[in-house]
Amino acid sequence: MRFAPRSLFGRLVLILLGGLIIAQLATAYLNLAERDQLLYQAGGMRLAQQISDIVKLLDSLPAAERRKVVAVFNAPPLTVSLDRPRITTRQGSAEGDFAHSMFSTVLRFALGEDAQVNLVRLEKAPESLRPGRRGEPPEMDMGMMPMMQGRGWGRGMGPGYAQGGTFFMVQIALHDGTWVTFDSFLSPQATAVPLRLALTLLILLGTVIALSLVAVRWVTGPLSELAIAAEKLGEDINRPPLPETGPSEAQRAARAFNTMQRRLARFIADRTRIFTAMSHDLKTPITRLRLRTELLDDETLRAKFVKDLEEMEGMVTQTLDFMRDANTQEAVQRLDAMALIESLQTDYQDTGSKVHIEGGVVQPYPGRPLGLRRCLGNLVGNAIRYGGRATIKLEDAANLLTIRVLDDGPGIPEEELEQAFEPFFRGEASRSRETGGSGLGLGIARNIARAHGGDLVLRNRPEGGLEAILTLPRIPAA
């Protein structure tokens, strides 16, 4: 997914929060729907019962007395009239209208199934319920407001009814065939969102979110530690083992990682011991060969033997250096990288080589002095060997030190740039043993760079030559 978080923590949080929000919305919808139904039913039952009582009372009175009773009950929010013509309603005209269906049901329940009832939902207040109607008192006593509100006459009834309520016109046939008309208003309280319900949902949502974040962090914490340990393993194979704590799965992963680290460290140590033993064993025959070479009378033959012996001794020495740099134990300290590079420049210039420096390093760098000097020495030596001269470009940033070593040599084919770091790899003839070296210099330099948490890459320059880019993060000294 394009917009999904990249970390496991972010993805788990996104899934949990998404599920919780959907669940809360669905719960709130169901609660509000049931609440609306109950409130409509409760409010409708009261109004329907009031209409039923009036209808029963009018049925028990003679026609002459009914108008007196109507005058008594004719007050908002329920007005009564005996003079309205009968209305006609079409069956199914209110399908899908919850308020109409509920009120119609409770009316028939209160009046009986045999009652003749016409019910119409009105879009706006009828004339009899509008402010300023004939017979409405011009002013109200403020002490009467609570009682009027209890009957549905809400605050603001002077200028208009409260928003959200429903107007109905109900016609009911009396026993003698007379139709009595009721204009009524159903209170808007049924559609109001209760504050207690909203607070309950918010508290529940906040609590579950907080617990989910803690749980996800608890689960992903050991994974983050494992990832950091894996990254640091390339810098120091003998780093302290990973704590085997947390859930059982995390303990198993940490235990497996520590086992792998011990095996790697043992493998490297065994390999180093083998090469050290080989070097020790080779020194004696090489020394004997040197002595015997000196006894040769043929100068040309003696020179060839000396060259081969020096090359053999150099290969052994550089191989041991390669192994030693891969398992370095040199302590990290704050050093003046600019002074180190300038001393390296001086050493090469004393031998007649051309080394040019561009830029500078201002802040001290936390690193291993001998390792960095060997790394830069290999890069500068390669540049001089294959290009005749070396240019060192320095870029010092707050968190990263970048050192570029450029030469004017023939470069390396693109497909061999990465292979050049492999031990004893040799590319084209211009970089063969005839030009010197054993094919281990770049591998040693990269090992040192990665031991500092950085890296070393090669790139062919557009104008010709090779560029070695050494990046060194400013990790705290340890």
Side-chain angles (χ1 to χ4, degrees), residues 47 50-51 54 73-80 129 133 151 182-185:
L47 184 57
Q50 185 178 4
I51 293 175
I54 295 175
F73 289 102
N74 188 26
L78 179 65
T79 60
V80 189
L129 295 180
R133 70 178 182 87
R151 296 185 59 194
F182 297 89
D183 290 331
S184 61
F185 174 74

Side-chain angles (χ1 to χ4, degrees), residues 25 43 59 67 83-84 101 107 116 194 243 261 274 302 329 361 377 390 405 408 434:
L25 291 177
D59 260 335
R67 294 190 179 278
D83 301 327
R84 300 273 189 91
S101 300
L107 268 177
Q116 300 183 51
Q261 179 179 341
I274 291 173
R302 184 168 61 246
Q329 297 296 323
V361 182
V405 180
D408 298 325
E434 297 300 324

Side-chain angles (χ1 to χ4, degrees), residues 365-382:
Y365 177 78
R368 301 178 176 89
L370 295 179
L372 286 177
R373 183 178 180 84
R374 182 169 182 79
C375 174
L376 292 173
N378 288 351
L379 298 179
V380 173
N382 281 347

Side-chain angles (χ1 to χ4, degrees), residues 152-200:
W153 184 272
R155 180 183 176 186
M157 286 295 291
Y161 286 84
Q163 297 294 325
T166 308
F167 294 98
F168 289 103
M169 182 171 66
V170 183
Q171 284 192 335
I172 303 173
L174 301 179
H175 288 252
D176 60 358
T178 304
W179 287 84
V180 58
T181 304
F182 297 89
D183 290 331
S184 61
F185 174 74
L186 193 60
S187 171
Q189 65 177 355
T191 58
V193 177
L195 180 60
R196 180 175 297 180
L197 176 61
L199 289 177
T200 301

Side-chain angles (χ1 to χ4, degrees), residues 37-182:
Q37 183 175 356
L38 292 175
L39 287 177
Y40 262 118
Q41 186 174 3
M45 280 296 292
R46 288 195 298 270
L47 184 57
Q49 190 62 48
Q50 185 178 4
I51 293 175
S52 175
D53 291 341
I54 295 175
V55 169
K56 292 177 181 179
L57 180 58
L58 293 177
D59 260 335
S60 64
L61 297 175
E65 299 294 328
R66 291 174 179 170
R67 294 190 179 278
K68 296 180 181 180
V69 174
V70 167
V72 173
F73 289 102
N74 188 26
L78 179 65
T79 60
V80 189
S81 175
L82 296 171
D83 301 327
R84 300 273 189 91
R86 180 182 177 182
I87 60 174
T88 58
T89 58
R90 293 178 297 174
Q91 184 70 21
S93 60
E95 288 184 0
D97 189 337
F98 173 77
H100 185 281
S101 300
M102 181 59 68
F103 194 36
S104 175
T105 301
V106 297
L107 268 177
R108 294 190 179 278
F109 176 80
L111 296 170
E113 292 296 331
D114 297 333
Q116 300 183 51
V117 180
N118 291 332
L119 176 63
V120 177
R121 178 172 178 171
L122 305 176
E123 297 297 330
K124 58 183 180 179
E127 187 68 28
S128 61
L129 295 180
R130 292 181 184 176
R133 70 178 182 87
R134 183 178 178 182
E136 180 182 330
E139 296 182 358
M140 293 187 184
D141 183 3
M142 295 303 294
M144 293 292 291
M145 287 298 293
M147 291 187 293
M148 299 303 286
Q149 289 175 351
R151 296 185 59 194
W153 184 272
R155 180 183 176 186
M157 286 295 291
Y161 286 84
Q163 297 294 325
T166 308
F167 294 98
F168 289 103
M169 182 171 66
V170 183
Q171 284 192 335
I172 303 173
L174 301 179
H175 288 252
D176 60 358
T178 304
W179 287 84
V180 58
T181 304
F182 297 89

Side-chain angles (χ1 to χ4, degrees), residues 33 83 94 96 112 123 146 249 259 263 311 336 365 376 381 405 409 457 464:
D83 301 327
E123 297 297 330
E249 293 82 1
T259 302
R263 290 175 177 174
E311 186 176 334
D336 188 346
Y365 177 78
L376 292 173
V405 180
V457 296

